[in-house]
Amino acid sequence: MEYNDIVTQVIEFLGTFAFAISGIRHAAAKHFDWFGGYVCGIAVAIGGGTIRDVMLGTTPFWMTNPFYMICTALALIFVVIFAKHMEGLRNTWFVFDTLGLALFTIAGIQKSLAFGQPYWVAIIMGCITGSAGGVIRDVLLNNEPVIFRKEIYAMAAVMGGVTYWMLDWLCVNIELTVILSFTVTCLMRFLAVRFHLSLPTLKSE
């Protein structure tokens, strides 16, 4: 296995793990039982990719690899055991969640392109892959979806996708394209939270 493949798998595991924990932690705040927490965790981990694959007309990715189910189960066990220590790791999970968002955005773009979709569709699919799971989680928890608030989340995925598109148009090699797209997504998310940047809100009459 090549070094880049190992790095990608490690980041994918951490991203999936963090996504699952975000769902489980939100479920814990609502006092859900363990099964409810697992459902919320898996919704974040596989929700976006499932919607993408259904729209692309292919078998959802988690039905061919139990990795995501197992990873979510490990996340549930982790939360149950270390619940009292989770608060101090908030910034750490935010970093992993952002890495997961960036990685899954790129994965969504690449899979869509592999299915012959144009770039504008691939960018949308990348955004769905990275952020739709959080929408499903918030709906299950009866919360306002985070992507509809002022906080920049889905837009970071969109900008990462646009970066991927532009670099490919400039004939930049795929490795550098992935790295720069990944970096743009992460930086947008980090900077938005650090400096409280947000999109303008709509005003009622």
Side-chain angles (χ1 to χ4, degrees):
M1 183 179 294
E2 295 182 1
Y3 174 77
N4 288 339
D5 293 334
I6 295 175
V7 172
T8 297
Q9 289 190 4
V10 170
I11 295 177
E12 185 173 26
F13 173 80
L14 293 175
T16 302
F17 195 69
F19 272 5
I21 283 180
S22 74
I24 295 167
R25 290 182 65 210
H26 281 79
K30 294 276 188 174
H31 303 292
F32 281 26
D33 61 17
W34 287 14
F35 179 75
Y38 182 83
V39 170
C40 289
I42 203 69
V44 183
I46 72 172
T50 299
I51 294 174
R52 174 204 64 210
D53 288 349
V54 169
M55 295 178 72
L56 291 175
T58 187
T59 303
F61 65 102
W62 57 269
M63 296 177 68
T64 61
N65 188 342
F67 165 82
Y68 300 93
M69 297 296 187
I70 296 172
C71 187
T72 302
L74 293 175
L76 176 63
I77 294 171
F78 184 89
V79 171
V80 170
I81 295 176
F82 298 104
K84 294 182 179 179
H85 307 285
M86 295 293 290
E87 190 65 25
L89 296 175
R90 178 178 296 180
N91 291 336
T92 302
W93 298 128
F94 166 74
V95 171
F96 286 154
D97 181 74
T98 300
L99 295 177
L101 172 67
L103 176 69
F104 294 155
T105 297
I106 293 171
I109 291 172
Q110 292 182 330
K111 188 165 188 177
S112 300
L113 293 175
F115 273 76
Q117 297 297 327
Y119 255 110
W120 66 271
V121 173
I123 293 172
I124 293 173
M125 290 298 182
C127 181
I128 288 173
T129 305
S131 60
V135 175
I136 298 173
R137 173 203 65 206
D138 292 337
V139 170
L140 290 174
L141 295 172
N142 197 30
N143 293 331
E144 180 186 15
V146 66
I147 68 170
F148 298 146
R149 304 175 203 163
K150 292 197 303 179
E151 182 177 342
I152 290 178
Y153 191 81
M155 281 304 301
V158 170
M159 292 308 299
V162 170
T163 300
Y164 192 106
W165 183 6
M166 295 302 297
L167 292 172
D168 184 58
W169 180 73
L170 293 172
C171 298
V172 176
N173 68 71
I174 185 63
E175 291 80 9
L176 184 57
T177 295
V178 168
I179 291 172
L180 292 177
S181 177
F182 186 92
T183 302
V184 167
T185 304
C186 291
L187 279 178
M188 279 205 63
R189 179 82 173 123
F190 291 146
L191 292 175
V193 172
R194 174 64 179 83
F195 296 105
H196 306 288
L197 305 177
S198 63
L199 296 174
T201 58
L202 291 171
K203 305 296 183 180
S204 60
E205 294 182 2

